[in-house]
Every structure is written in C-alpha cells, then in structure tokens.
Amino acid sequence: MEENEANASATNPKTTQELAVEGQKHLEETIQSAFQILSSMNDELCNPLLWSINSSANGVVHSDSSSSENTNAQNHGDSGGPGAGGALEEARFRYKNSVTALRAVLAAIPNSQKESSETGSSGDETEIQKLEEQASNLRKELVKKNAYVKVLIDQIRDLVTDISTWQSPCSV
C-alpha cells in the first residue's frame, strides 16, 4: 500500500495543503482504529469466557483441548467479537494501514515543499528583483530629498542670520 501511494505521489505530486488534508484524514482513521482496539480489548477483558482461550499477551490465540471451548471461541470470532480474527484483529489491521498511510503522507511533505519552492522560485526571483529595483529607486530618491532638505536648512540659517542682523541695534 505504501509503495502504491509513493508511486502515485511520484506521478501526481500533491501540494503541501493537499497532503495536510490527506494526513488529517489518516490521523482521524488511526485514532478511530486505536479506539476500536481499546474497545475490543475491553470487551475481551470483560468477557470471562474468553479468558481461558487467550493465554498470551501478544494476541496469539491458544485454544484449550476441550472442544466446547474451541466452539465457543469460534462463535465469538464469527460473530465479530474479539476472538480469533474478530473485531480486535480487524481494528489492528485498520490501525496498521492507517499508520502506514499517515507515515507515507508525512514522508511526502518535505518533497512537496521542495517542489513548490522549485516551481515558485522563478516567480519569487522576479518578485525579489522588482523589490530590489524599487528599493534602489527609493534610496536614490532619499539621497535627492536629503540634499534638498540640506539646501533648505542652509537657506533658513541664512534667513535667521539676516533677521538677527536687521534687528540688532546699530552701533554707528
């Protein structure tokens, strides 16, 4: 399943946003499957009839020699219960698949970001070039305005000097 998704993503690259939506879906499936696993384990632990047939912690079913208990375990498994191949195994299978799909999406995100930066780089370079040109023009305009302000300050200084000489008392 992971290979199929990897091949599909190689031929049909997805955007980071599309991958995020897909990842969200797989995460929700993973959570639902984990909840189903916990519910199935709870059912199994609460059913004393299943205690004698499940003797290992890793989920392998060991049946007793009595045929009535074997039949009882098969009935629980067939009815979708937590017996051999029942709801617990189905939830585990769904959980493993959703985790695998989620990992594939997470692995595809960096590639998606690289592709988007490569495809967007020519547009970004054009934008950067325009902004640099605009910044250069603004600097030139700033130099001109600073020179003009300096001229105005010098003129004001001359005016203040002239006014102060006119207002001073004549000492002739």
Side-chain angles (χ1 to χ4, degrees), residues 13 16 30 37 44 103-104 108 112 114 117-118 127 135 137-138 145 147-148 154 162:
T16 305
T30 302
I37 288 171
E44 193 166 318
R103 285 182 180 159
S112 150
K114 286 178 188 174
S117 68
E118 288 172 0
E127 181 81 18
N137 290 338
L138 288 172
K145 292 199 182 221
Y148 183 65
D154 288 342
D162 288 346

Side-chain angles (χ1 to χ4, degrees), residues 97-160:
N97 286 342
S98 61
V99 167
T100 301
L102 183 58
R103 285 182 180 159
V105 168
L106 291 174
I109 288 175
N111 294 334
S112 150
Q113 291 173 338
K114 286 178 188 174
E115 289 174 9
S116 67
S117 68
E118 288 172 0
T119 57
S121 64
S122 62
D124 290 343
E125 285 181 23
T126 305
E127 181 81 18
I128 290 171
Q129 191 174 19
K130 285 180 182 178
L131 289 173
E132 286 176 350
E133 186 177 320
Q134 186 178 6
S136 175
N137 290 338
L138 288 172
R139 282 189 210 103
K140 289 176 186 176
E141 188 176 332
L142 184 62
V143 167
K144 289 178 185 176
K145 292 199 182 221
N146 280 341
Y148 183 65
V149 167
K150 185 179 183 291
V151 168
L152 290 175
I153 289 173
D154 288 342
Q155 287 176 352
I156 289 176
R157 188 177 294 131
D158 291 341
L159 282 174
V160 168

Side-chain angles (χ1 to χ4, degrees), residues 21-117:
V21 169
E22 187 176 339
Q24 176 80 25
K25 182 185 88 170
H26 291 308
L27 182 61
E28 289 171 1
E29 289 173 3
T30 302
I31 291 169
Q32 288 174 350
S33 298
F35 180 75
Q36 184 61 40
I37 288 171
L38 292 174
S39 295
S40 298
M41 289 174 70
N42 185 46
D43 291 344
E44 193 166 318
L45 291 172
C46 290
N47 188 349
L49 296 175
L50 298 176
W51 293 351
S52 62
I53 59 168
N54 290 335
S55 61
S56 72
N58 64 4
V60 176
V61 177
H62 296 283
S63 56
D64 291 341
S65 60
S66 99
S67 63
S68 64
E69 289 177 355
N70 286 339
T71 307
N72 192 12
Q74 289 172 351
N75 288 342
H76 284 289
D78 292 342
S79 67
L88 180 58
E89 291 304 316
E90 180 184 331
R92 284 181 182 165
F93 178 75
R94 285 180 40 222
Y95 178 80
K96 287 179 184 178
N97 286 342
S98 61
V99 167
T100 301
L102 183 58
R103 285 182 180 159
V105 168
L106 291 174
I109 288 175
N111 294 334
S112 150
Q113 291 173 338
K114 286 178 188 174
E115 289 174 9
S116 67
S117 68

